Amino acid sequence: MATTRTAHTDWEGELLSGSGTVTFDSSGIGSQPVSWPSRAEKANGRTSPEELIAAAHSSCFSMALSHGLTGAGTPPTRLETRADVTFQPGEGITGIHLTVRGEVPGLDAEGFQAAAEDAKKNCPVSQALTGTEITLTAELA
């Protein structure tokens, strides 16, 4: 069964001096302020499209890796995933780096690396971002 998730942003003003609020409609978890300075300079308590992509990518990748490991008979005890999304003003998103550290009983480093590469390739968010270079560091705890 297909699902649709929704968020919306209310923006006021010009790009450089304006600001907005992104609201997470589907989950109801609230709203977060956004602005150009929080995107291109320091966050200063505001989010950005890149941070939202990082959240989506790290959670999707973790789910895909957990699923793959479980299907291979080595379910993880714990996965800690970080996604670093790099934004260059004037160019856009120039890369994403995933870093995962896992506790997976019965799996060696080579097997974990292979499973992580597969998850990177096949998680739906990675697939949606195929125009962006995605790199990976994977290690067992």
Side-chain angles (χ1 to χ4, degrees), residues 46-68:
R46 297 173 186 252
T47 194
S48 68
E50 291 73 28
E51 184 178 36
L52 298 172
I53 290 170
H57 206 175
S58 67
S59 60
C60 183
F61 172 86
S62 293
M63 289 180 200
L65 181 53
S66 176
H67 181 67

Side-chain angles (χ1 to χ4, degrees), residues 3 7-11 14 17 20 41 46 54 63 67 70 75 78 116 140:
T3 59
H8 77 274
T9 300
D10 292 314
W11 185 268
E14 298 176 16
S17 62
E41 299 166 16
R46 297 173 186 252
M63 289 180 200
H67 181 67
T70 301
R78 178 177 170 81
L140 290 170

Side-chain angles (χ1 to χ4, degrees), residues 18-141:
S19 64
T21 303
V22 59
T23 301
F24 302 93
D25 299 316
S26 298
S27 64
I29 61 172
S31 301
Q32 293 295 316
V34 295
S35 69
W36 177 256
S38 68
R39 184 178 195 183
E41 299 166 16
K42 292 185 179 182
N44 291 323
R46 297 173 186 252
T47 194
S48 68
E50 291 73 28
E51 184 178 36
L52 298 172
I53 290 170
H57 206 175
S58 67
S59 60
C60 183
F61 172 86
S62 293
M63 289 180 200
L65 181 53
S66 176
H67 181 67
L69 290 167
T70 301
T74 53
T77 302
R78 178 177 170 81
L79 297 172
E80 183 180 315
T81 304
R82 174 184 173 127
D84 295 301
V85 177
T86 302
F87 174 74
Q88 178 64 45
E91 290 182 48
I93 294 173
T94 58
I96 300 171
H97 185 76
L98 297 169
T99 304
V100 62
R101 184 174 170 92
E103 295 174 19
V104 188
L107 190 65
D108 64 12
E110 185 177 311
F112 186 66
Q113 181 71 39
E117 289 289 347
D118 187 65
K120 180 187 89 160
K121 177 182 173 188
N122 292 306
C123 98
V125 172
S126 288
Q127 291 177 347
L129 299 170
T130 56
T132 302
E133 180 182 10
I134 301 169
T135 56
L136 172 70
T137 301
E139 65 179 35
L140 290 170

